[in-house]
PDB file of all heavy atoms in Angstrom:
ATOM      1  N   TYR A   1      -0.337  -4.485 -11.340  1.00 97.00           N
ATOM      2  CA  TYR A   1       0.762  -5.427 -11.074  1.00 97.00           C
ATOM      3  C   TYR A   1       0.456  -6.332  -9.976  1.00 97.00           C
ATOM      4  O   TYR A   1       0.757  -7.576  -9.963  1.00 97.00           O
ATOM      5  CB  TYR A   1       2.009  -4.649 -10.649  1.00 97.00           C
ATOM      6  CG  TYR A   1       2.749  -3.984 -11.927  1.00 97.00           C
ATOM      7  CD1 TYR A   1       2.058  -3.605 -12.854  1.00 97.00           C
ATOM      8  CD2 TYR A   1       4.075  -3.677 -11.700  1.00 97.00           C
ATOM      9  CE1 TYR A   1       2.677  -2.937 -14.006  1.00 97.00           C
ATOM     10  CE2 TYR A   1       4.680  -3.052 -12.750  1.00 97.00           C
ATOM     11  CZ  TYR A   1       4.054  -2.575 -13.874  1.00 97.00           C
ATOM     12  OH  TYR A   1       4.687  -2.011 -14.964  1.00 97.00           O
ATOM     13  N   LEU A   2      -0.454  -5.924  -8.986  1.00 96.00           N
ATOM     14  CA  LEU A   2      -0.956  -6.759  -7.971  1.00 96.00           C
ATOM     15  C   LEU A   2      -1.880  -7.789  -8.556  1.00 96.00           C
ATOM     16  O   LEU A   2      -1.710  -9.059  -8.123  1.00 96.00           O
ATOM     17  CB  LEU A   2      -1.693  -5.986  -6.880  1.00 96.00           C
ATOM     18  CG  LEU A   2      -0.943  -4.946  -6.066  1.00 96.00           C
ATOM     19  CD1 LEU A   2      -1.975  -4.300  -5.013  1.00 96.00           C
ATOM     20  CD2 LEU A   2       0.198  -5.514  -5.247  1.00 96.00           C
ATOM     21  N   GLN A   3      -2.533  -7.509  -9.592  1.00 96.00           N
ATOM     22  CA  GLN A   3      -3.436  -8.460 -10.206  1.00 96.00           C
ATOM     23  C   GLN A   3      -2.494  -9.472 -11.097  1.00 96.00           C
ATOM     24  O   GLN A   3      -2.740 -10.587 -10.895  1.00 96.00           O
ATOM     25  CB  GLN A   3      -4.394  -7.784 -11.139  1.00 96.00           C
ATOM     26  CG  GLN A   3      -5.498  -6.886 -10.395  1.00 96.00           C
ATOM     27  CD  GLN A   3      -6.195  -6.012 -11.276  1.00 96.00           C
ATOM     28  OE1 GLN A   3      -6.022  -5.968 -12.511  1.00 96.00           O
ATOM     29  NE2 GLN A   3      -7.225  -5.487 -10.806  1.00 96.00           N
ATOM     30  N   LEU A   4      -1.582  -8.842 -11.772  1.00 96.00           N
ATOM     31  CA  LEU A   4      -0.805  -9.774 -12.655  1.00 96.00           C
ATOM     32  C   LEU A   4       0.007 -10.675 -11.843  1.00 96.00           C
ATOM     33  O   LEU A   4       0.261 -11.847 -12.325  1.00 96.00           O
ATOM     34  CB  LEU A   4       0.090  -8.841 -13.401  1.00 96.00           C
ATOM     35  CG  LEU A   4      -0.430  -8.122 -14.584  1.00 96.00           C
ATOM     36  CD1 LEU A   4       0.766  -7.200 -15.234  1.00 96.00           C
ATOM     37  CD2 LEU A   4      -0.874  -9.006 -15.816  1.00 96.00           C
ATOM     38  N   PHE A   5       0.522 -10.251 -10.666  1.00 96.00           N
ATOM     39  CA  PHE A   5       1.505 -11.207  -9.926  1.00 96.00           C
ATOM     40  C   PHE A   5       0.813 -11.928  -8.880  1.00 96.00           C
ATOM     41  O   PHE A   5       1.481 -12.429  -7.857  1.00 96.00           O
ATOM     42  CB  PHE A   5       2.659 -10.362  -9.369  1.00 96.00           C
ATOM     43  CG  PHE A   5       3.352  -9.410 -10.443  1.00 96.00           C
ATOM     44  CD1 PHE A   5       3.962  -8.230 -10.167  1.00 96.00           C
ATOM     45  CD2 PHE A   5       3.366  -9.899 -11.794  1.00 96.00           C
ATOM     46  CE1 PHE A   5       4.577  -7.458 -11.163  1.00 96.00           C
ATOM     47  CE2 PHE A   5       3.982  -9.119 -12.819  1.00 96.00           C
ATOM     48  CZ  PHE A   5       4.642  -7.971 -12.559  1.00 96.00           C
ATOM     49  N   GLY A   6      -0.483 -12.116  -8.932  1.00 96.00           N
ATOM     50  CA  GLY A   6      -1.214 -12.992  -7.963  1.00 96.00           C
ATOM     51  C   GLY A   6      -1.481 -12.411  -6.529  1.00 96.00           C
ATOM     52  O   GLY A   6      -1.603 -13.166  -5.701  1.00 96.00           O
ATOM     53  N   LEU A   7      -1.420 -11.168  -6.433  1.00 96.00           N
ATOM     54  CA  LEU A   7      -1.539 -10.482  -5.109  1.00 96.00           C
ATOM     55  C   LEU A   7      -2.858  -9.869  -4.824  1.00 96.00           C
ATOM     56  O   LEU A   7      -3.103  -9.171  -3.843  1.00 96.00           O
ATOM     57  CB  LEU A   7      -0.298  -9.450  -4.825  1.00 96.00           C
ATOM     58  CG  LEU A   7       0.966 -10.136  -4.731  1.00 96.00           C
ATOM     59  CD1 LEU A   7       2.110  -9.001  -4.829  1.00 96.00           C
ATOM     60  CD2 LEU A   7       1.120 -10.821  -3.368  1.00 96.00           C
ATOM     61  N   GLU A   8      -3.782  -9.959  -5.829  1.00 94.00           N
ATOM     62  CA  GLU A   8      -5.006  -9.255  -5.757  1.00 94.00           C
ATOM     63  C   GLU A   8      -5.774  -9.767  -4.512  1.00 94.00           C
ATOM     64  O   GLU A   8      -5.903 -10.953  -4.456  1.00 94.00           O
ATOM     65  CB  GLU A   8      -5.887  -9.378  -6.995  1.00 94.00           C
ATOM     66  CG  GLU A   8      -7.256  -8.510  -6.949  1.00 94.00           C
ATOM     67  CD  GLU A   8      -7.941  -8.681  -8.201  1.00 94.00           C
ATOM     68  OE1 GLU A   8      -7.581  -9.520  -9.066  1.00 94.00           O
ATOM     69  OE2 GLU A   8      -8.832  -7.819  -8.499  1.00 94.00           O
ATOM     70  N   GLY A   9      -6.307  -8.983  -3.732  1.00 95.00           N
ATOM     71  CA  GLY A   9      -6.995  -9.462  -2.464  1.00 95.00           C
ATOM     72  C   GLY A   9      -6.119 -10.000  -1.311  1.00 95.00           C
ATOM     73  O   GLY A   9      -6.555 -10.478  -0.236  1.00 95.00           O
ATOM     74  N   LYS A  10      -4.700 -10.111  -1.505  1.00 97.00           N
ATOM     75  CA  LYS A  10      -3.847 -10.665  -0.585  1.00 97.00           C
ATOM     76  C   LYS A  10      -3.025  -9.603   0.145  1.00 97.00           C
ATOM     77  O   LYS A  10      -2.254  -9.993   0.883  1.00 97.00           O
ATOM     78  CB  LYS A  10      -2.930 -11.680  -1.307  1.00 97.00           C
ATOM     79  CG  LYS A  10      -3.661 -12.839  -1.897  1.00 97.00           C
ATOM     80  CD  LYS A  10      -2.651 -13.898  -2.636  1.00 97.00           C
ATOM     81  CE  LYS A  10      -3.443 -15.098  -3.199  1.00 97.00           C
ATOM     82  NZ  LYS A  10      -2.457 -15.919  -3.892  1.00 97.00           N
ATOM     83  N   VAL A  11      -3.152  -8.285  -0.276  1.00 97.00           N
ATOM     84  CA  VAL A  11      -2.615  -7.218   0.462  1.00 97.00           C
ATOM     85  C   VAL A  11      -3.710  -6.380   1.022  1.00 97.00           C
ATOM     86  O   VAL A  11      -4.772  -6.190   0.417  1.00 97.00           O
ATOM     87  CB  VAL A  11      -1.524  -6.437  -0.400  1.00 97.00           C
ATOM     88  CG1 VAL A  11      -0.437  -7.438  -0.921  1.00 97.00           C
ATOM     89  CG2 VAL A  11      -2.294  -5.743  -1.504  1.00 97.00           C
ATOM     90  N   GLU A  12      -3.351  -5.659   2.099  1.00 96.00           N
ATOM     91  CA  GLU A  12      -4.214  -4.635   2.658  1.00 96.00           C
ATOM     92  C   GLU A  12      -3.950  -3.229   2.007  1.00 96.00           C
ATOM     93  O   GLU A  12      -2.897  -2.875   2.092  1.00 96.00           O
ATOM     94  CB  GLU A  12      -4.141  -4.552   4.068  1.00 96.00           C
ATOM     95  CG  GLU A  12      -5.045  -3.671   4.904  1.00 96.00           C
ATOM     96  CD  GLU A  12      -6.398  -4.201   5.038  1.00 96.00           C
ATOM     97  OE1 GLU A  12      -6.593  -5.427   4.953  1.00 96.00           O
ATOM     98  OE2 GLU A  12      -7.419  -3.428   5.086  1.00 96.00           O
ATOM     99  N   LEU A  13      -4.926  -2.634   1.399  1.00 95.00           N
ATOM    100  CA  LEU A  13      -4.671  -1.398   0.659  1.00 95.00           C
ATOM    101  C   LEU A  13      -5.061  -0.257   1.661  1.00 95.00           C
ATOM    102  O   LEU A  13      -6.161  -0.185   2.183  1.00 95.00           O
ATOM    103  CB  LEU A  13      -5.552  -1.185  -0.546  1.00 95.00           C
ATOM    104  CG  LEU A  13      -5.203  -2.317  -1.595  1.00 95.00           C
ATOM    105  CD1 LEU A  13      -6.188  -2.110  -2.792  1.00 95.00           C
ATOM    106  CD2 LEU A  13      -3.909  -2.209  -2.191  1.00 95.00           C
ATOM    107  N   ALA A  14      -4.101   0.600   1.955  1.00 94.00           N
ATOM    108  CA  ALA A  14      -4.277   1.632   2.835  1.00 94.00           C
ATOM    109  C   ALA A  14      -5.032   2.755   2.316  1.00 94.00           C
ATOM    110  O   ALA A  14      -4.826   3.253   1.177  1.00 94.00           O
ATOM    111  CB  ALA A  14      -2.964   2.132   3.386  1.00 94.00           C
ATOM    112  N   GLU A  15      -5.922   3.439   3.199  1.00 86.00           N
ATOM    113  CA  GLU A  15      -6.654   4.525   2.764  1.00 86.00           C
ATOM    114  C   GLU A  15      -5.956   5.776   3.240  1.00 86.00           C
ATOM    115  O   GLU A  15      -6.247   6.488   4.210  1.00 86.00           O
ATOM    116  CB  GLU A  15      -8.025   4.492   3.407  1.00 86.00           C
ATOM    117  CG  GLU A  15      -9.005   3.309   2.959  1.00 86.00           C
ATOM    118  CD  GLU A  15      -9.265   3.501   1.424  1.00 86.00           C
ATOM    119  OE1 GLU A  15      -9.424   4.627   0.887  1.00 86.00           O
ATOM    120  OE2 GLU A  15      -9.349   2.403   0.693  1.00 86.00           O
ATOM    121  N   VAL A  16      -4.918   6.048   2.556  1.00 85.00           N
ATOM    122  CA  VAL A  16      -3.936   7.173   2.966  1.00 85.00           C
ATOM    123  C   VAL A  16      -3.566   7.826   1.637  1.00 85.00           C
ATOM    124  O   VAL A  16      -3.281   7.183   0.674  1.00 85.00           O
ATOM    125  CB  VAL A  16      -2.669   6.684   3.748  1.00 85.00           C
ATOM    126  CG1 VAL A  16      -1.865   7.960   4.004  1.00 85.00           C
ATOM    127  CG2 VAL A  16      -3.001   5.926   4.901  1.00 85.00           C
ATOM    128  N   GLU A  17      -3.501   9.187   1.732  1.00 87.00           N
ATOM    129  CA  GLU A  17      -3.061   9.905   0.459  1.00 87.00           C
ATOM    130  C   GLU A  17      -1.499   9.633   0.315  1.00 87.00           C
ATOM    131  O   GLU A  17      -0.756   9.457   1.231  1.00 87.00           O
ATOM    132  CB  GLU A  17      -3.212  11.511   0.636  1.00 87.00           C
ATOM    133  CG  GLU A  17      -4.755  11.888   0.669  1.00 87.00           C
ATOM    134  CD  GLU A  17      -5.450  11.589  -0.590  1.00 87.00           C
ATOM    135  OE1 GLU A  17      -4.839  11.688  -1.722  1.00 87.00           O
ATOM    136  OE2 GLU A  17      -6.711  11.147  -0.479  1.00 87.00           O
ATOM    137  N   LEU A  18      -1.161   9.628  -1.064  1.00 88.00           N
ATOM    138  CA  LEU A  18       0.201   9.338  -1.322  1.00 88.00           C
ATOM    139  C   LEU A  18       1.123  10.411  -0.747  1.00 88.00           C
ATOM    140  O   LEU A  18       2.342   9.995  -0.412  1.00 88.00           O
ATOM    141  CB  LEU A  18       0.438   9.317  -2.909  1.00 88.00           C
ATOM    142  CG  LEU A  18       1.753   8.767  -3.419  1.00 88.00           C
ATOM    143  CD1 LEU A  18       2.080   7.359  -2.800  1.00 88.00           C
ATOM    144  CD2 LEU A  18       1.823   8.793  -4.896  1.00 88.00           C
ATOM    145  N   SER A  19       0.685  11.514  -0.697  1.00 89.00           N
ATOM    146  CA  SER A  19       1.466  12.717  -0.162  1.00 89.00           C
ATOM    147  C   SER A  19       1.927  12.442   1.272  1.00 89.00           C
ATOM    148  O   SER A  19       2.893  12.985   1.790  1.00 89.00           O
ATOM    149  CB  SER A  19       0.763  13.971  -0.182  1.00 89.00           C
ATOM    150  OG  SER A  19      -0.450  13.912   0.556  1.00 89.00           O
ATOM    151  N   ASN A  20       1.185  11.577   1.985  1.00 91.00           N
ATOM    152  CA  ASN A  20       1.524  11.237   3.402  1.00 91.00           C
ATOM    153  C   ASN A  20       2.139   9.779   3.467  1.00 91.00           C
ATOM    154  O   ASN A  20       2.377   9.264   4.684  1.00 91.00           O
ATOM    155  CB  ASN A  20       0.175  11.080   4.365  1.00 91.00           C
ATOM    156  CG  ASN A  20      -0.482  12.503   4.291  1.00 91.00           C
ATOM    157  OD1 ASN A  20       0.100  13.528   4.375  1.00 91.00           O
ATOM    158  ND2 ASN A  20      -1.883  12.355   4.212  1.00 91.00           N
ATOM    159  N   ALA A  21       2.713   9.226   2.273  1.00 94.00           N
ATOM    160  CA  ALA A  21       3.221   7.979   2.356  1.00 94.00           C
ATOM    161  C   ALA A  21       4.543   7.901   3.263  1.00 94.00           C
ATOM    162  O   ALA A  21       4.668   6.828   3.965  1.00 94.00           O
ATOM    163  CB  ALA A  21       3.831   7.623   0.909  1.00 94.00           C
ATOM    164  N   VAL A  22       5.407   8.803   3.248  1.00 95.00           N
ATOM    165  CA  VAL A  22       6.650   8.634   4.114  1.00 95.00           C
ATOM    166  C   VAL A  22       6.286   8.713   5.593  1.00 95.00           C
ATOM    167  O   VAL A  22       6.733   7.905   6.348  1.00 95.00           O
ATOM    168  CB  VAL A  22       7.689   9.720   3.870  1.00 95.00           C
ATOM    169  CG1 VAL A  22       8.768   9.688   4.569  1.00 95.00           C
ATOM    170  CG2 VAL A  22       8.066   9.581   2.319  1.00 95.00           C
ATOM    171  N   SER A  23       5.464   9.633   6.107  1.00 95.00           N
ATOM    172  CA  SER A  23       5.035   9.658   7.431  1.00 95.00           C
ATOM    173  C   SER A  23       4.272   8.512   7.903  1.00 95.00           C
ATOM    174  O   SER A  23       4.543   7.884   8.957  1.00 95.00           O
ATOM    175  CB  SER A  23       4.232  10.918   7.736  1.00 95.00           C
ATOM    176  OG  SER A  23       2.972  10.988   6.933  1.00 95.00           O
ATOM    177  N   ALA A  24       3.436   7.945   6.977  1.00 95.00           N
ATOM    178  CA  ALA A  24       2.651   6.646   7.261  1.00 95.00           C
ATOM    179  C   ALA A  24       3.673   5.464   7.462  1.00 95.00           C
ATOM    180  O   ALA A  24       3.492   4.503   8.119  1.00 95.00           O
ATOM    181  CB  ALA A  24       1.665   6.448   6.119  1.00 95.00           C
ATOM    182  N   LEU A  25       4.709   5.550   6.607  1.00 96.00           N
ATOM    183  CA  LEU A  25       5.750   4.418   6.673  1.00 96.00           C
ATOM    184  C   LEU A  25       6.527   4.547   8.004  1.00 96.00           C
ATOM    185  O   LEU A  25       6.904   3.592   8.641  1.00 96.00           O
ATOM    186  CB  LEU A  25       6.684   4.592   5.487  1.00 96.00           C
ATOM    187  CG  LEU A  25       7.546   3.355   5.087  1.00 96.00           C
ATOM    188  CD1 LEU A  25       6.606   2.184   4.552  1.00 96.00           C
ATOM    189  CD2 LEU A  25       8.602   3.719   3.946  1.00 96.00           C
ATOM    190  N   LYS A  26       6.929   5.745   8.411  1.00 95.00           N
ATOM    191  CA  LYS A  26       7.590   5.990   9.560  1.00 95.00           C
ATOM    192  C   LYS A  26       6.893   5.496  10.823  1.00 95.00           C
ATOM    193  O   LYS A  26       7.463   4.932  11.741  1.00 95.00           O
ATOM    194  CB  LYS A  26       7.900   7.505   9.803  1.00 95.00           C
ATOM    195  CG  LYS A  26       9.079   8.068   8.872  1.00 95.00           C
ATOM    196  CD  LYS A  26       9.187   9.676   9.108  1.00 95.00           C
ATOM    197  CE  LYS A  26      10.191  10.232   8.266  1.00 95.00           C
ATOM    198  NZ  LYS A  26      10.455  11.651   8.426  1.00 95.00           N
ATOM    199  N   ASN A  27       5.588   5.735  10.856  1.00 94.00           N
ATOM    200  CA  ASN A  27       4.836   5.437  12.033  1.00 94.00           C
ATOM    201  C   ASN A  27       4.251   3.970  12.054  1.00 94.00           C
ATOM    202  O   ASN A  27       3.421   3.607  12.933  1.00 94.00           O
ATOM    203  CB  ASN A  27       3.663   6.425  12.400  1.00 94.00           C
ATOM    204  CG  ASN A  27       2.638   6.487  11.280  1.00 94.00           C
ATOM    205  OD1 ASN A  27       2.298   5.464  10.575  1.00 94.00           O
ATOM    206  ND2 ASN A  27       2.053   7.733  10.991  1.00 94.00           N
ATOM    207  N   GLY A  28       4.573   3.209  10.985  1.00 94.00           N
ATOM    208  CA  GLY A  28       4.210   1.845  10.847  1.00 94.00           C
ATOM    209  C   GLY A  28       2.758   1.588  10.430  1.00 94.00           C
ATOM    210  O   GLY A  28       2.104   0.484  10.501  1.00 94.00           O
ATOM    211  N   GLN A  29       2.144   2.776   9.907  1.00 95.00           N
ATOM    212  CA  GLN A  29       0.723   2.597   9.442  1.00 95.00           C
ATOM    213  C   GLN A  29       0.632   1.807   8.177  1.00 95.00           C
ATOM    214  O   GLN A  29      -0.300   1.082   7.937  1.00 95.00           O
ATOM    215  CB  GLN A  29       0.153   4.014   9.190  1.00 95.00           C
ATOM    216  CG  GLN A  29      -1.324   4.103   8.938  1.00 95.00           C
ATOM    217  CD  GLN A  29      -1.792   5.509   8.707  1.00 95.00           C
ATOM    218  OE1 GLN A  29      -1.022   6.460   8.959  1.00 95.00           O
ATOM    219  NE2 GLN A  29      -3.050   5.661   8.367  1.00 95.00           N
ATOM    220  N   ILE A  30       1.710   1.811   7.415  1.00 97.00           N
ATOM    221  CA  ILE A  30       1.880   0.984   6.160  1.00 97.00           C
ATOM    222  C   ILE A  30       3.216   0.349   6.213  1.00 97.00           C
ATOM    223  O   ILE A  30       4.097   0.605   6.876  1.00 97.00           O
ATOM    224  CB  ILE A  30       1.741   1.928   4.845  1.00 97.00           C
ATOM    225  CG1 ILE A  30       2.879   2.999   4.889  1.00 97.00           C
ATOM    226  CG2 ILE A  30       0.271   2.499   4.804  1.00 97.00           C
ATOM    227  CD1 ILE A  30       2.713   3.698   3.500  1.00 97.00           C
ATOM    228  N   ASP A  31       3.281  -0.809   5.375  1.00 97.00           N
ATOM    229  CA  ASP A  31       4.555  -1.494   5.146  1.00 97.00           C
ATOM    230  C   ASP A  31       5.309  -1.060   3.918  1.00 97.00           C
ATOM    231  O   ASP A  31       6.458  -1.228   3.942  1.00 97.00           O
ATOM    232  CB  ASP A  31       4.256  -2.937   5.090  1.00 97.00           C
ATOM    233  CG  ASP A  31       3.619  -3.656   6.330  1.00 97.00           C
ATOM    234  OD1 ASP A  31       4.390  -3.450   7.438  1.00 97.00           O
ATOM    235  OD2 ASP A  31       2.473  -4.195   6.222  1.00 97.00           O
ATOM    236  N   GLY A  32       4.524  -0.484   3.037  1.00 97.00           N
ATOM    237  CA  GLY A  32       5.116  -0.012   1.762  1.00 97.00           C
ATOM    238  C   GLY A  32       4.190   0.905   0.918  1.00 97.00           C
ATOM    239  O   GLY A  32       2.945   1.111   1.344  1.00 97.00           O
TER     240      GLY A  32
END
């Protein structure tokens, strides 16, 4: 979807496991 909607290379991809998504969101490590 990032490729389809023109966002490839325009977002920073986090090196975090999906199981840690909520805690990473809480501490501001990721935006989404």
Side-chain angles (χ1 to χ4, degrees):
Y1 287 26
L2 294 182
Q3 295 170 351
L4 284 175
F5 306 150
L7 290 166
E8 186 176 14
K10 297 181 180 180
V11 301
E12 185 73 25
L13 298 180
E15 294 295 326
V16 181
E17 292 296 326
L18 187 59
S19 58
N20 296 323
V22 177
S23 60
L25 201 66
K26 285 181 181 179
N27 64 31
Q29 188 177 357
I30 60 174
D31 297 300

